[in-house]
Amino acid sequence: MSYRGRFAPSPTGLLHAGSLVAAVGSWLCARHAGGPWLVRMEDIDPPRELAGSANAILAALPAFGLVADGPVIYQSSRIAAYDAAFEQLCRDDRVFPCWCSRSDLAAGGGLHRDGHCIAPADPRRAPAWRIRVPDEDIHFIDALQGPQSQRLRDAVGDFVVRRVEGFYSYQLACVVDDAWQGITDVVRGSDLLDSTPRQIWLQHCLGLSTPRYLHLPLVLDSEGRKLSKSEYSLEVDPTHPLPALRHALSFLGLAPDEKARDAPSLLDATLAHFDPQNLPQCSDHRVT
Ligand code: GLU
């Protein structure tokens, strides 16, 4: 299987330290494998979007030496493909409408596990749509984090693929587009490690193949605790790219070349010694 990688930011803020690590890590893996590196803008959640941030992220990437091999795909232009996937799930009776409120779900620990809605149908309100999950473990081998297993029924329950407002979920849009773009290798932050079993289940339901996954180092503090997302989210300055890029490389366990004068030459110097097998599973090198 030849290699096709991607970076898939959400325009919910400017490029931040954590997403720079995902961008650089996915770029290095793709270049090392001799495959293209694609960029997909995951702009399907308008309420969470920050105006102007999609353009700002895309403008920042080249400043860090990261140039996509092909046009950027915008998920906002792909709704017809998500409609088709959703219709397939409906036809195959994989999904059900759900009118549950948070308090309806509280009794089940906030999870929906029954394969059907426990609240009464309300024709005056649009429902969310959930996909039924199996009562069995989903296994995969992460290229860096090793064997993973999750029982969807206990971990997330029947999860939402289409929200009340009509927006498709990240999980659905992501698997439809990874397949459509022919992505063979998903390299992304470990904050998404626990989304992967849901994505593998969706791939199974939609008859799509499962790419290889590599989740970049978990961020740990000096006591070995996972760092919160907010500590991971300070924005980086594309007008002075070298400090943030050096930091991202150190986070990935890569010794940045101190002599490199600009971002592209720093990336090229790093690539010359890069081997994904040497990436650390965890990093206590904070990305902020
Ligand atoms: N858009 C997601 C995020 O920025 C990442 C999606 C992915 O890499 O699968 O967190």
Side-chain angles (χ1 to χ4, degrees):
M1 186 160 56
S2 58
Y3 192 110
R4 277 169 83 79
R6 52 58 155 193
F7 170 56
S10 299
T12 51
L14 302 179
L15 190 68
H16 59 76
S19 50
L20 182 61
V21 168
V24 170
S26 58
W27 185 92
L28 285 168
C29 289
R31 282 287 175 280
H32 175 78
W37 179 76
L38 307 174
V39 174
R40 181 171 79 225
M41 187 52 67
E42 300 209 318
D43 55 347
I44 43 154
D45 192 353
R48 287 189 57 229
E49 271 165 37
L50 177 71
S53 63
N55 285 343
I57 291 170
L58 295 175
L61 290 172
F64 292 96
L66 302 164
V67 178
D69 299 305
V72 174
I73 301 301
Y74 288 82
Q75 289 195 320
S76 54
S77 70
R78 299 263 310 136
I79 305 299
Y82 313 141
D83 284 340
F86 178 67
E87 278 156 27
Q88 182 180 341
L89 295 173
C90 291
R91 267 197 316 274
D92 294 344
D93 197 26
R94 297 279 193 185
V95 289
F96 61 92
C98 174
W99 285 271
C100 287
S101 63
R102 260 168 220 219
S103 53
D104 291 325
L105 293 179
L111 301 187
H112 208 306
R113 295 204 178 89
D114 304 315
H116 59 87
C117 185
I118 50 179
D122 180 351
R124 290 161 306 166
R125 280 193 300 134
W129 286 81
R130 293 178 182 272
I131 185 163
R132 298 187 181 90
V133 297
D135 193 12
E136 59 193 53
D137 293 337
I138 304 264
H139 301 283
F140 70 102
I141 297 180
D142 185 87
L144 182 58
Q145 307 298 335
Q148 307 289 317
S149 161
Q150 192 185 62
R151 201 171 194 89
L152 287 176
R153 191 167 188 275
D154 298 337
V156 290
D158 302 327
F159 60 92
V160 171
V161 292
R162 194 172 129 138
R163 287 165 29 200
V164 171
E165 309 90 324
F167 301 129
Y168 287 106
S169 71
Y170 153 65
Q171 312 292 356
L172 181 85
C174 181
V175 301
V176 168
D177 286 342
D178 281 338
W180 179 67
Q181 292 185 281
I183 300 302
T184 61
D185 290 76
V186 171
V187 175
R188 59 187 177 193
S190 279
D191 53 325
L192 293 165
L193 191 58
D194 76 345
S195 282
T196 303
R198 272 172 278 179
Q199 297 186 5
I200 291 173
W201 177 242
L202 274 166
Q203 287 151 359
H204 169 80
C205 294
L206 291 167
L208 303 173
S209 57
T210 294
R212 292 176 289 235
Y213 288 97
L214 186 157
H215 289 86
L216 292 164
L218 291 161
V219 197
L220 301 182
D221 69 12
S222 51
E223 266 131 55
R225 288 179 303 233
K226 262 206 228 177
L227 219 57
S228 73
K229 212 159 179 168
S230 58
E231 289 173 279
Y232 199 67
S233 59
L234 287 192
E235 69 193 57
V236 290
D237 179 2
T239 61
H240 295 99
L242 281 178
L245 189 55
R246 290 207 165 96
H247 210 97
L249 293 171
S250 307
F251 178 81
L252 292 170
L254 303 164
D257 179 344
E258 294 305 329
K259 292 193 294 295
R261 293 254 161 269
D262 55 34
S265 47
L266 177 52
L267 282 182
D268 284 342
T270 308
L271 187 59
H273 310 280
F274 179 72
D275 182 346
Q277 307 231 343
N278 296 335
L279 285 168
Q281 277 187 327
C282 300
S283 182
D284 56 10
H285 204 104
R286 291 190 176 211
V287 289
T288 53

